Amino acid sequence: MSIALRILVCDDDPVIGRAILRTLAALGHQVSLVTDPNVVVDRARRSTLATDVLVVDVMMNDTDGPALARDVMRHGAIGVVFVSGFDPDSLRDRGIDTDAWPFVQKPFSRAALEAAVVEAWARRKASAVVGA
Amino acid sequence: MSKVIGATIKYIGTDPSEHPYLAGCNVRIVAVLRAGDPDDADHYVTDDDHLARLGGLTAGDRVEVQPWLAKEGRFSFVGSDPRVCDLEGFETLVG
């Protein structure tokens, strides 16, 4: 891997969240984990997120990943990766659209997670150039 | 080493702080969350060859599982992460 990104993992299952964190840490990224999506929104609102890419579980108890991503991006640009045990079609059937950002289905491979993170970061950078 | 990833096994745990909603369910193992302090790259394992190189499953590990939904004839998309020791006959999978 050529770039170490600051990655925030948000998953309300701490065991799986920790698995994602450790997988990304093994790739050289600087990773932290939160299990409460409200913490992510609060940090974004206070401009203390300090994150390049948000890796977020799609189906959480109090919210869903795309809704959280939209809340966060109202406060600033960020790369996003959606992670779920559901496939995108099943999520769409439930009214949740994950098309806007890279998607990784659980169980995830290290390669798939890394590719998604890199793609999310590239999209984030491209959007910054367009918006400049 | 027995096949672990993809194995279907019954959840028999009774600890209410674990996964009581899985009681009696057949679950499919899709990943192993290794106990102890493995290297970060060896914590979440999704294939048997990788697991075998690490010495196989241990009773202290957790596994990511998908419960079987009999009415729908498929495994759930929703995963859980029970302890290996809460799976019926887990001894056959260990080592």
Side-chain angles (χ1 to χ4, degrees), chain A residues 38-57:
Chain A
N38 293 316
V39 171
V40 182
V41 176
D42 186 54
R43 287 184 190 174
R45 187 180 298 124
R46 291 186 289 111
S47 301
T48 59
L49 202 54
T51 297
D52 300 313
V53 176
L54 173 67
V55 177
V56 60
D57 186 25

Side-chain angles (χ1 to χ4, degrees), chain A residues 97-113:
Chain A
D97 187 354
T98 60
D99 288 346
W101 290 96
F103 178 88
V104 177
Q105 188 168 5
K106 293 184 279 191
F108 57 85
S109 70
R110 189 163 41 150
L113 193 57

Side-chain angles (χ1 to χ4, degrees), chain B residues 12-87:
Chain B
I12 57 169
T14 56
D15 184 338
S17 68
E18 285 291 324
H19 302 275
Y21 51 88
L22 291 178
C25 284
N26 286 317
V27 298
R28 178 174 64 184
I29 298 172
V30 298
V32 175
L33 298 138
R34 297 179 66 240
D37 191 23
D39 289 346
D40 286 335
D42 297 327
H43 174 64
Y44 183 77
V45 179
T46 57
D47 75 78
D48 279 335
D49 289 341
H50 186 185
L51 187 61
R53 288 196 298 275
L54 298 169
L57 191 70
T58 74
D61 293 336
R62 286 182 180 271
V63 284
E64 184 178 5
V65 301
Q66 298 166 329
W68 174 250
L69 303 176
K71 286 182 182 174
E72 299 181 36
R74 63 172 178 85
F75 288 97
S76 174
F77 294 120
V78 180
S80 299
D81 38 56
R83 302 178 299 196
V84 167
C85 62
D86 286 332
L87 303 177

Side-chain angles (χ1 to χ4, degrees), chain A residues 52-76:
Chain A
D52 300 313
V53 176
L54 173 67
V55 177
V56 60
D57 186 25
V58 174
M59 302 287 272
M60 293 185 281
N61 286 331
D62 298 329
T63 187
D64 64 67
L68 176 63
R70 285 192 297 273
D71 278 351
V72 168
M73 284 187 282
R74 283 192 291 129
H75 302 284

